[in-house]
Amino acid sequence: MRARRTPRAGLTGGAGAAWSLLLDQVAEGVAVLDARDGRFTILETNAAFARLIGAGACRLTGRPWREAVPAADRALEDLFRQVAAGGEPAAERRFRAAPGEEGPGDALTCRDWRCLPLREGGGAVERLLVVVADATGAVLREGGRALDLALLEHLPFGLAILTGAEQTVALANAAFARLAGVAPEDLAGRPLRDALPAGELAAALERAYRTGEPATADDVVLRTPGGATAWRFTLAPVPGPDGGVAGLLAMAVETTDQVRARRAVEDLAAAARQRAGQLEAIIGSMVDGVFILDEEGLVVEANAVGLALLGLSPDAESRRLSDYLAPLAPRLGDGRPLPPDADPLAGVRAGRVLADEELFLTAPDGRERAVSLGGAPVREADGRVGGMVVLLRDISEQKRAEQEKDAFFSLISHEVKSPLTAIKGYAQLAERAVAPGPAGERQSRYLGVVAEQVARIERLVEDLSEVNRLRSGVLRQEPVDFDLAALTRATVERHRVTVDTHRLELEVAAEPLTVHADPARIEQVLANLLTNAVKYSPAADRVWVTLERDGATAHLHVRDAGIGIPRAEQARLFARFYRGSNAAEAGPGGLGLGLFIAHEIVAHSGGRIWVESAEGQGSTFHVMLPLAGRGP
């Protein structure tokens, strides 16, 4: 349908008819606008103009530009103002969606707009001559393929076509419009800078338009009512007919998940670096040598103390720990050389913990150093051994102190025995010479105290001698098969004669319980446990002794209702020279050797000894020995 036209001022009669005929014959759309009121009212159009802008049968003449034309073309007012103010022609290419056979917004079209100033008598610009031409075919020929809106809506990323220096949105698919939180039709005709305010994006837009080179803006954060999201924009310049940049093709891909994942990785890396720094500080401050080995056994990290113990420099080549030890002629704790092919960490590599293996190392200057070697496996998430941590501790001073202490106690034992023998002999002679009567009774009591204290000192000396024999590996034992039940009955009966403060309750299995051990040593163990039970239960009046069969073992336990043992001290109870913190309150002091000796005797007999106790509620000591011929 042909749009109505208003005759052009100054063209009347035949001239006006000729003008109208001319407009109808022109393939391009032509419109005359009023440039004086700032509303750019449409004064006259031809049919091609209405068709090209998609106005259809709508009445255009007499209406302001903003009311008459589709939303996509309203931004042309900036072009009109430029021409009206400057008086110079201007042109612009714009992309927009236009109705097609398959419905509105189906096809992408391109229009070339030209605006020329019209003056009256050479004065101010009173009217504008607007010419619009269909440039879709030319663009398609230049671009090599058509952009179909139906296709654009199925793209997995946002796509928009921007025109002019203001990067006005000529076309955007729904995915792109969602970035601004609006519908596509509300985004059209707006500068992208206003619709998506983001400094990184604005800089990339300016760079692409100014240089004519593609530009990107990574991780642009946009905030909409739905929340904050991150995007990567790629901007491709669209060349204009004059060789400049007519617009930009903007593509947007959401990177929110990638940004979150990258930040999570960065946070994990930062936490790992922090933990590594803390671990390095801890390792560096340790007084023990620390070596971290990989799954192949190669040393990958070591602190300064560990390097110094092995005489290595900080830049030493990564090798196996056994290779570092080999030049130091390592010897085992008993003095035997470590075999060249022996790997002290073989058990750790197999997943076991190595606890305090003693080694002697000889430094290049000939000095000998004693070290304690310990290690533990480091397991991966699947349980596989992925490395090892090894501790190397210099115990040279400790060994020397122990040797000096042992030598001292050996000397004391030897030197004390002779005077004790003399004191004991003269006390016995004095006892025989005591005259009857009250004075003689007092003398007998005094001599009894002397004999009792001499016996106590003799026990202490014998304990010291036993410890030295245990440390030197020459503990005298004569194992034979004997009935532990009979030995237990006899030992308890002898103690009943000497113990008048407690009643010894005995419960022994009726059957013989034959074990293979040194009966004198086992009696020594039982006597020690009975003595301790009486000594450390001063407020009680009973001690219970039980012996029973437990599978292939004989189970002996001695229970008291005494002061008990603090839980924190129970693990150290069988160590040399250790006495419980509450032991001194219950009776005469000792050297803390009785339980150590008992533990060693039981261990040498193939059994085990342990304690169950609660402070203030008494203790139960357990001894288990394998029955002869049955195995443990």
Side-chain angles (χ1 to χ4, degrees), residues 193-212:
R193 291 186 180 88
D194 297 339
L196 301 176
E200 306 92 331
L201 178 58
L205 288 168
E206 176 62 27
R207 185 166 62 254
Y209 188 81
R210 177 173 45 82
T211 65

Side-chain angles (χ1 to χ4, degrees), residues 2 40 173 254 266 327 419 431 534 567:
R2 180 174 297 180
F40 303 107
N173 65 357
E254 186 173 2
E266 291 172 353
E431 176 68 25
V534 171
R567 181 177 298 274

Side-chain angles (χ1 to χ4, degrees), residues 343-369:
D343 183 1
L345 301 177
V348 182
R349 188 175 290 109
R352 297 188 295 274
V353 175
L354 174 65
D356 299 332
E357 177 77 20
E358 286 190 4
L359 293 176
F360 291 94
L361 306 177
T362 303
D365 59 4
R367 290 185 302 172
E368 189 173 71
R369 175 176 287 162

Side-chain angles (χ1 to χ4, degrees), residues 360-417:
F360 291 94
L361 306 177
T362 303
D365 59 4
R367 290 185 302 172
E368 189 173 71
R369 175 176 287 162
V371 298
S372 173
L373 179 69
V378 177
R379 297 187 180 276
E380 303 288 351
D382 59 359
R384 180 177 55 87
V385 176
M388 292 170 278
V389 176
V390 177
L391 296 182
L392 203 62
R393 178 179 302 167
D394 188 347
I395 58 173
S396 302
E397 292 298 328
Q398 175 184 336
K399 297 295 289 185
R400 280 192 289 270
E402 290 178 356
Q403 291 171 357
E404 292 174 358
K405 184 166 59 176
D406 292 342
F408 171 76
F409 285 131
S410 178
L411 176 64
I412 292 297
S413 300
H414 178 73
E415 294 296 330
V416 168
K417 282 183 178 179

Side-chain angles (χ1 to χ4, degrees), residues 13 21 46 62 77 226 233 235 252 284 301-302 410 419 422 434 454 458 490 511 552 588:
L21 180 61
N46 67 352
E77 288 184 352
F233 286 87
L235 307 171
E301 187 70 37
S410 178
V434 170
V454 167
E458 283 181 333
E511 61 176 320

Side-chain angles (χ1 to χ4, degrees), residues 25-44:
Q25 299 302 315
V26 174
E28 297 177 330
V30 179
V32 178
L33 311 181
D34 189 342
R36 294 170 297 180
D37 61 358
R39 301 172 65 194
F40 303 107
T41 301
I42 300 175
L43 301 177
E44 188 173 3

